[in-house]
Amino acid sequence: MDFGDFYQATSRRTLRYAYGLTGNLHQAQDVTQEAYARAWQRWRQVSGYDDAEAWLRVVVTRLVQDWWRHLGVRRRTRLEPVLPQPAPSEDTVLLTTALKQLPPAQRQALALHYLLDLSVAQIAAETGVSEGTVKSWLSRGRAGLADSLREEADAAGLHDAGKIAEAGRRRRRTKAIATVTAAGLAVIAVVSLAVAVVRGARHDQPVHPNPSTTAHTLRRLGEPLPGSAHAAVEADMTGGRFFVAVADANALTVTALDSATGRRVWQRQVPGRHDSIGGIVATDGFVVMYTSTTADDGNGVISNQMSVLDPGTGEVWWQRPFANPDGNGPAIGEVPMGTSREVALIGDLDTGKLTAVNWRTGTVRWTLPGDGSRTIPEIARREDGYSGFGGVEYDATAAKSMLRLSPSGELRRYSLANGQWTEGWKSVPYSKSTTYLAYGGRLYFTTDTQLTTFPLWDNGSGPVVSYTANPVAPGTRETRRLWNLTPCGGDAMCLIDGGNPEEERGRNPYELVAVHPWTTANRVALDRDTFINTAGPYVLLSSGGVFDTALRPIAPQGQRTAWPVPTGTGEVLLVDRRTTDQGRWEQTALTLFDPVTARAASLGTIAMNPSWVATAPGRLLVETEAGIELYAY
């Protein structure tokens, strides 16, 4: 089949699929055209695949993930002109609005099942998860979509979901005999999905189905990766593969695991000495590890470096040590400042110099001078379902720009592609001791006692003090009290307020605080120090606890001290150590908790390191005495 025949045979199905993922017709057209442009550029290779259309859907899925991360799609070629289309109907607007509220995994499963007629087994094979997980996505997606449709209908004064379904059936019968454009076909397909979803949610499945026993049974995949009680382990996931880094006995080994089967795709020993791992980031374009080495000269001087590998083969492309001429002296030296897909950012914390490095070659692409400026990354949420070590929900690779704040108070946004600044703001407070974070169109910065917000869309409004720390108890020393600033649902920001120097422990108790723009803050008292994480609108604490947006505890009684880790499916994995006398390997109970329905399903107990776990939809990576083990559920 030549490219033209392939395009004619598959383009309408692909457009329907893209529309189901985006809920935006014009964006679906752009994504589809970009995917076919990439297929055309590689047609000699793509045409030889057993299922070229499945490869195309993978491209569409990744492009849509980029779009949901606000990266946009880089248009290369338009295969046909975009024809003017009539405004969508109220029913279609209602449905696409509801689709956008679903988690990406559920949205993709619904699109594959209802728009492309793929079976549960085919979806499981394409997404690399178990059939039980696919069934869970479809069930939860149908229920969530039906709920959203009913809520939107009530709010808009439209018919209820049943009447919308009947209208969709009439519209489908009427339009089935008409000649339609590709865009019209996409609208029909999505309205047909609304009919199937409402029918499925109301007749086939309960709105909140009980967790399936078979879907939540742990099954080990492949053979354990070698490890030891003294090893340092980190992992990341992309493209259906876990990338696992293990530093043991001064050596660093990186392994790519197929998440569907547990098969080792490749394994590589990274040159040099590596005592500990600071982090690993994997994308479809590179895998990077940040490692440290402690000198044996008795002075304990620590040196840091980064190693960049080919994600397809494990080949080490290049390595770079970070400059730290003073060793353990007062100077900090170079540190990684960002892992955007565009470039690797390396910053000197003492001078403010910023260097952008090409991921493939390690060569310098551009630099910004050491004028004392602070570099402030702009963060975005992950949309691929992977939670990472500790459940990190933010994407380290999605940024297309970053901010720089000069000592004079001028804030500028720079393009990561070329290092040129594109817009700026004045009168932003500058300090070397202040923590800065850019997220959701706002710049946040915390001092010891205040959280300040600076809107990036309005240069005239200036900074606003959003929160002030609780006063310290009489007789205690003033110290840093606000930290761990984290986005926690919508436009809210969460932080920890409290703490004392070691000799005054307990005199100023900790509080978890959720600060909402222009509203009062929610707060809850804590009995210990902790770290904040999130799973959608829910707040998770490393010390134990799952909270709703009003900071009300919702974890099951008896498991509120378990470590909660997002799974990428809407559920939370509760990691609850049951013994404390087995050293590194402790009997640990694992439970899947659904914050929406408050239902919990046990996954059993494993003798594992309860301080390390990585998850992806339907997958669990743990460290045991046998090594690093991958489980499906």
Side-chain angles (χ1 to χ4, degrees):
M1 179 183 296
D2 64 18
F3 179 79
D5 292 338
F6 175 73
Y7 177 74
Q8 291 297 325
T10 62
S11 58
R12 290 189 176 184
R13 283 197 302 271
T14 304
L15 179 60
R16 290 199 298 270
Y17 177 60
Y19 194 10
L21 295 183
T22 63
N24 181 304
L25 180 57
H26 295 301
Q27 189 62 38
Q29 289 173 317
D30 285 344
V31 165
T32 301
Q33 290 167 359
E34 172 69 8
Y36 277 104
R38 295 186 181 188
W40 177 81
Q41 290 174 330
R42 304 168 175 81
W43 184 242
R44 180 175 298 178
Q45 176 184 358
V46 173
S47 61
Y49 292 159
D50 292 338
D51 191 346
E53 189 175 356
W55 176 89
L56 191 73
R57 284 197 297 271
V58 172
V59 175
V60 168
T61 302
R62 289 174 178 172
L63 290 172
V64 170
Q65 288 172 350
D66 284 346
W67 177 66
W68 282 102
R69 292 169 180 149
H70 305 289
L71 292 181
V73 178
R74 183 180 180 183
R75 298 175 179 86
R76 297 178 182 173
T77 306
R78 286 198 177 273
L79 301 180
E80 58 178 300
V82 178
L83 301 177
Q85 303 297 334
S89 69
E90 290 180 322
D91 292 353
T92 302
V93 171
L94 194 66
L95 176 65
T96 54
T97 299
L99 276 170
K100 292 175 183 178
Q101 297 175 5
L102 295 179
Q106 296 174 19
R107 193 165 58 238
Q108 181 183 10
L110 289 172
L112 288 171
H113 190 58
Y114 289 103
L115 301 188
L116 298 185
D117 294 323
L118 266 63
S119 68
V120 169
Q122 289 172 316
I123 297 173
E126 182 156 319
T127 57
V129 301
S130 67
E131 293 184 23
T133 297
V134 173
K135 291 177 183 177
S136 175
W137 286 346
L138 290 172
S139 174
R140 294 168 63 87
R142 284 193 295 260
L145 190 52
D147 285 346
S148 296
L149 286 171
R150 293 189 187 97
E151 292 172 3
E152 292 288 342
D154 292 342
L158 302 175
H159 297 302
D160 65 19
K163 294 183 178 180
I164 290 173
E166 180 58 33
R169 284 192 288 270
R170 290 197 301 270
R171 183 178 293 106
R172 181 172 54 177
R173 289 195 295 269
T174 301
K175 291 190 176 182
I177 60 175
T179 300
V180 295
T181 64
L185 185 60
V187 173
I188 294 172
V190 175
V191 173
S192 300
L193 172 60
V195 178
V197 165
V198 174
R199 277 207 306 263
R202 297 182 66 178
H203 302 294
D204 299 335
Q205 297 283 346
V207 173
H208 297 304
N210 289 316
S212 166
T213 302
T214 55
H216 299 320
T217 300
L218 284 179
R219 176 171 54 91
R220 198 178 76 182
L221 301 177
E223 295 299 318
L225 296 179
S228 76
H230 306 288
V233 183
E234 290 282 10
D236 199 359
M237 181 184 179
T238 188
R241 293 179 180 178
F242 276 102
F243 295 86
V244 185
V246 180
D248 193 16
N250 308 131
L252 177 65
T253 303
V254 184
T255 306
L257 287 180
D258 186 306
S259 64
T261 64
R263 177 180 62 88
R264 299 184 192 183
V265 180
W266 54 257
Q267 191 170 66
R268 180 75 61 173
Q269 188 94 13
V270 179
R273 174 174 171 172
H274 309 270
D275 295 334
S276 62
I277 307 172
I280 178 173
V281 177
T283 74
D284 54 3
F286 61 86
V287 177
V288 58
M289 273 98 31
Y290 302 101
T291 58
S292 299
T293 301
T294 303
D296 293 327
D297 58 5
N299 295 320
V301 175
I302 298 175
S303 58
N304 304 306
Q305 68 171 345
M306 61 189 296
S307 304
V308 182
L309 280 64
D310 183 338
T313 65
E315 175 191 356
V316 179
W317 282 341
W318 54 274
Q319 294 177 284
R320 186 186 195 279
F322 293 126
N324 185 5
D326 294 330
N328 285 344
I332 299 175
E334 289 184 333
V335 296
M337 299 294 288
T339 50
S340 158
R341 283 185 176 87
E342 292 282 351
V343 289
L345 292 179
I346 300 170
D348 188 313
L349 293 185
D350 301 308
T351 66
K353 180 181 178 181
L354 188 67
T355 303
V357 177
N358 182 291
W359 281 116
R360 179 62 183 86
T361 64
T363 57
V364 174
R365 284 182 51 177
W366 51 263
T367 60
L368 295 178
D371 58 2
S373 291
R374 297 283 305 272
T375 298
I376 306 169
E378 297 183 271
I379 65 171
R381 287 184 181 273
R382 295 187 74 122
E383 296 290 352
D384 59 5
Y386 174 72
S387 71
F389 172 64
V392 177
E393 199 180 51
Y394 301 99
D395 193 341
T397 68
K400 302 291 283 186
S401 62
M402 56 87 190
L403 301 173
R404 292 264 288 178
L405 178 61
S406 71
S408 64
E410 183 174 8
L411 180 70
R412 289 182 174 182
R413 174 175 281 122
Y414 288 81
S415 166
L416 293 179
N418 54 27
Q420 301 296 312
W421 72 280
T422 57
E423 56 183 327
W425 301 263
K426 294 184 180 298
S427 302
V428 179
Y430 170 92
S431 170
K432 281 199 169 185
S433 62
T434 295
T435 300
Y436 294 91
L437 173 68
Y439 176 77
R442 294 181 174 90
L443 176 67
Y444 298 89
F445 38 101
T446 54
T447 63
D448 290 349
T449 58
Q450 284 188 334
L451 168 65
T452 302
T453 305
F454 186 91
L456 298 178
W457 62 82
D458 183 1
N459 194 31
S461 62
V464 176
V465 176
S466 302
Y467 180 78
T468 301
N470 296 325
V472 298
T476 60
R477 290 192 293 119
E478 185 74 52
T479 185
R480 183 172 184 84
R481 300 186 46 73
L482 302 184
W483 64 287
N484 202 196
L485 185 67
T486 305
C488 58
D491 54 4
M493 297 296 290
C494 285
L495 52 80
I496 300 298
D497 181 350
N500 294 104
E502 184 68 28
E503 67 273 14
E504 297 176 353
R505 180 177 295 276
R507 295 290 302 279
N508 288 298
Y510 294 99
E511 282 190 329
L512 168 65
V513 182
V515 182
H516 303 267
W518 325 122
T519 64
T520 57
N522 297 325
R523 61 181 71 228
V524 61
L526 304 176
D527 61 358
R528 74 188 87 174
D529 194 1
T530 188
F531 289 94
I532 301 170
N533 192 14
T534 60
Y538 302 101
V539 180
L540 317 179
L541 298 182
S542 63
S543 59
V546 182
F547 300 85
D548 64 13
T549 54
L551 297 189
R552 293 172 296 210
I554 58 175
Q557 290 286 349
Q559 291 186 304
R560 293 188 174 178
T561 60
W563 174 30
V565 181
T567 66
T569 63
E571 295 172 314
V572 175
L573 178 71
L574 300 178
V575 182
D576 190 6
R577 66 179 68 190
R578 293 299 173 86
T579 59
T580 58
D581 56 355
Q582 293 181 270
R584 188 178 178 106
W585 320 119
E586 299 182 8
Q587 290 297 323
T588 304
L590 303 174
T591 303
L592 278 179
F593 172 62
D594 186 338
V596 177
T597 65
R599 291 193 176 102
S602 174
L603 294 180
T605 301
I606 299 178
M608 57 177 279
N609 175 6
S611 301
W612 192 93
V613 62
T615 69
R619 295 294 182 270
L620 180 65
L621 197 66
V622 299
E623 186 185 10
T624 71
E625 190 170 10
I628 294 89
E629 299 184 301
L630 177 63
Y631 287 90
Y633 60 87

